[in-house]
Amino acid sequence: MGELKNCPECGNLFVQVLRDVCDNCFKKEEEMFDKVYRFIRKSENRKATLYQVHQATEVPEDKITKFIRQGRIRVVGFPNLFYECETCGSPIQEGRLCFNCKKEITKGLEWMKTEEERKREEQLGQSYHIDRRR
């Protein structure tokens, strides 16, 4: 059964079952999606940027980005349709993070894993070190 929540868009109460917004806001969002989709499907608009799509459709950039992140709009074939990485602001076309930020997070996780293993070995008293000075 759903949970009673306030719609993050309009503040009205609704039962959250499948969507994160109320029915009225969902319908408005679908209309926005249709506007954006119809605009970018035209061949003359294939090279439009996110800002140009926003200007032409009057759909907020964050909504267009949401559609892309949801996979409802695929940016393959739209060379200028970028949005910002959530960490550094670099332009990206998929996901939430750019390649460099993903790489940094991966390095950090690998370092943490190595540190945990080292600490576990120290606690067990089975830590071996190699003297590389020879």
Side-chain angles (χ1 to χ4, degrees):
M1 189 159 193
E3 184 179 339
L4 191 62
K5 285 195 164 191
N6 287 82
C7 176
E9 297 290 323
C10 68
N12 290 335
L13 279 174
F14 76 106
V15 178
Q16 183 182 17
V17 179
L18 298 174
R19 302 181 198 116
D20 57 350
V21 294
C22 69
D23 286 340
N24 290 334
C25 291
F26 177 74
K27 288 174 187 171
K28 289 177 188 173
E29 206 169 87
E30 286 302 298
E31 290 170 5
M32 286 187 240
F33 172 76
D34 287 338
K35 271 184 174 180
V36 170
Y37 189 74
R38 276 187 267 118
F39 178 79
I40 63 172
R41 294 300 297 165
K42 293 179 184 175
S43 59
E44 64 267 18
N45 299 329
R46 295 250 173 192
K47 293 189 177 182
T49 64
L50 182 66
Y51 181 73
Q52 291 168 332
V53 174
H54 157 69
Q55 288 292 104
T57 62
E58 298 180 346
V59 174
E61 289 183 38
D62 64 324
K63 289 290 183 193
I64 300 168
T65 301
K66 179 180 178 181
F67 300 145
I68 295 169
R69 284 193 176 127
Q70 289 174 335
R72 297 181 72 190
I73 295 177
R74 297 182 187 214
V75 294
V76 174
F78 302 103
N80 300 320
L81 200 53
F82 292 95
Y83 55 95
E84 293 182 352
C85 167
E86 288 185 5
T87 302
C88 70
S90 295
I92 57 174
Q93 285 193 305
E94 65 180 357
R96 300 177 85 140
L97 303 172
C98 67
F99 176 76
N100 290 332
C101 290
K102 286 179 190 175
K103 194 165 85 173
E104 287 298 314
I105 290 172
T106 302
K107 277 200 291 188
L109 291 172
E110 288 171 358
W111 180 83
M112 285 177 59
K113 183 179 175 183
T114 303
E115 279 298 301
E116 286 176 5
E117 289 174 5
R118 186 187 62 76
K119 286 180 182 178
R120 188 173 39 249
E121 287 177 0
E122 280 181 3
Q123 288 175 348
L124 294 174
Q126 299 175 353
S127 180
Y128 299 100
H129 300 282
I130 299 172
D131 187 2
R132 297 184 187 264
R133 291 180 280 173
R134 294 183 191 189

